[in-house]
Amino acid sequence: MNGPAVALTWLYVPGDRPEVVRKALGSGADVVIIDLEDAVAPDRKEYARSATAELLSDPVTADPMAVPVHVRVHGEDDVKALAGLAGLSGMRLPKITHAASVHHVAALAPGVPLYPLLESALAIEHAYSIAGAHHSVRGVALGEADLRADLGVRDDAGLDWPRSRVVVAARAAGLDPPVMSVYTDVRDLSGLRSSCAHGRDLGLLGRAAIHPRQLPVIERAFRPTSREVEAAEQIVEASRAEAGAQALPDGRFVDAAVVATAERTLALARSRR
């Protein structure tokens, strides 16, 4: 299934609320994630699985031009029930701690893009082996609520090292930059904006959301500003005019690494679903 060139907004919706899932498909999110894990009560798991299977079998959802739909699975039964459905664009795998777990899911769901979630100290220690475990792995990310509890972290700054660790692991494995975990206060858009800016500084790209009102804030936070685009264009133009390292008239030093960063900025600015 096709998706945006760069997905910046990933909207979680509970799997036992199919009417909410269908509404989310029109929310403007780059990716919709049906949650069969934390958002669904134990006595609703079976219904959530069957409702999700029905939705992913719908020709409208399976349309290649539709919004990509991922599922955060709860266990092996979810994987087996959903793996072959045409509307499934990816599986998010919670509480992964070892590469072996990724291989197990990949065997049950051949060809399905996998996105392991690192939610414990042990998972952070194995971040690179998980990120590079299998060719079906397309991205890794943190599950910050569980990780915070496991580490006993009280302040958000305590997550900076794990965030940087997963950024490095993803890069080393040749994956896209990780997506930030959810910001749980859906009314605090100012706090969300500030948190996204900090995540962007750490190398994260895009963010999961739990309410549609968070989507435009996330989009703006990770999309390059007009000033950043202008600066990047100047760097790329200078590199084309003269090969090798050089200094721009305003004093900025330009070499191959700076040019590569500028080109990524322009690619992100131009990307649209």
Side-chain angles (χ1 to χ4, degrees), residues 231 234-235 238 244-259 261-262:
Q234 291 172 351
I235 290 169
Q246 58 181 294
L248 299 183
D250 61 6
R252 284 178 294 162
F253 180 77
V254 175
D255 63 5
V258 173
V259 173
T261 299

Side-chain angles (χ1 to χ4, degrees), residues 33-49:
I33 305 171
I34 301 175
D35 191 1
L36 300 182
E37 194 208 16
D38 291 343
V40 179
D43 62 348
R44 299 273 290 175
K45 298 289 188 186
E46 187 172 344
Y47 168 72
R49 183 189 309 127

Side-chain angles (χ1 to χ4, degrees), residues 135-147:
H135 61 81
S136 292
V137 176
R138 304 296 172 78
V140 291
L142 296 180
E144 291 188 353
D146 287 284
L147 180 60

Side-chain angles (χ1 to χ4, degrees), residues 12 26 42 45 65 68 76 80 85 93-94 96 102 107 142 147 153 157 164 180 199 218 223-224 234 267:
Y12 274 102
K45 298 289 188 186
M65 299 306 294
E76 190 170 300
K80 291 178 178 178
L85 300 181
L93 312 179
I96 294 295
V102 178
L142 296 180
L147 180 60
V153 169
S164 294
M180 289 190 79
I218 295 169
R223 189 73 64 185
Q234 291 172 351

Side-chain angles (χ1 to χ4, degrees), residues 60-259:
V60 175
T61 307
D63 186 333
M65 299 306 294
V67 177
V69 177
H70 291 201
V71 177
R72 179 162 73 172
V73 295
H74 177 63
E76 190 170 300
D77 288 343
D78 291 344
V79 175
K80 291 178 178 178
L82 305 176
L85 300 181
L88 180 68
S89 294
M91 283 186 179
R92 299 180 77 80
L93 312 179
K95 298 176 176 60
I96 294 295
T97 57
H98 296 82
S101 300
V102 178
H103 280 278
H104 179 65
V105 176
L108 295 174
V112 176
L114 304 179
Y115 296 79
L117 299 175
L118 314 184
E119 303 181 89
S120 66
L122 183 59
I124 297 301
E125 287 299 302
H126 294 160
Y128 174 66
S129 64
I130 292 171
H134 193 274
H135 61 81
S136 292
V137 176
R138 304 296 172 78
V140 291
L142 296 180
E144 291 188 353
D146 287 284
L147 180 60
R148 189 188 294 270
D150 189 44
L151 297 177
V153 169
R154 299 179 61 184
D155 188 271
D156 198 55
L159 294 175
D160 279 1
W161 187 84
R163 287 167 173 165
S164 294
R165 177 73 181 93
V166 75
V167 167
V168 172
R171 176 60 181 164
L175 304 177
D176 290 336
V179 174
M180 289 190 79
S181 190
V182 299
Y183 190 85
T184 56
D185 189 341
V186 299
R187 297 169 297 179
D188 182 16
L189 299 184
S190 177
L192 171 63
R193 186 178 302 110
S194 177
S195 177
C196 287
H198 182 60
R200 185 183 177 196
D201 288 342
L202 293 174
L204 298 157
L205 184 63
R207 188 162 202 161
I210 54 175
H211 195 284
R213 71 165 60 101
Q214 296 178 315
L215 301 178
V217 176
I218 295 169
E219 173 78 19
R220 287 193 297 270
F222 287 97
R223 189 73 64 185
T225 65
S226 57
R227 180 174 296 181
E228 290 170 334
V229 170
E230 181 181 358
E233 288 174 339
Q234 291 172 351
I235 290 169
V236 171
E237 184 178 349
S239 72
R240 290 171 179 167
E242 182 178 337
Q246 58 181 294
L248 299 183
D250 61 6
R252 284 178 294 162
F253 180 77
V254 175
D255 63 5
V258 173
V259 173

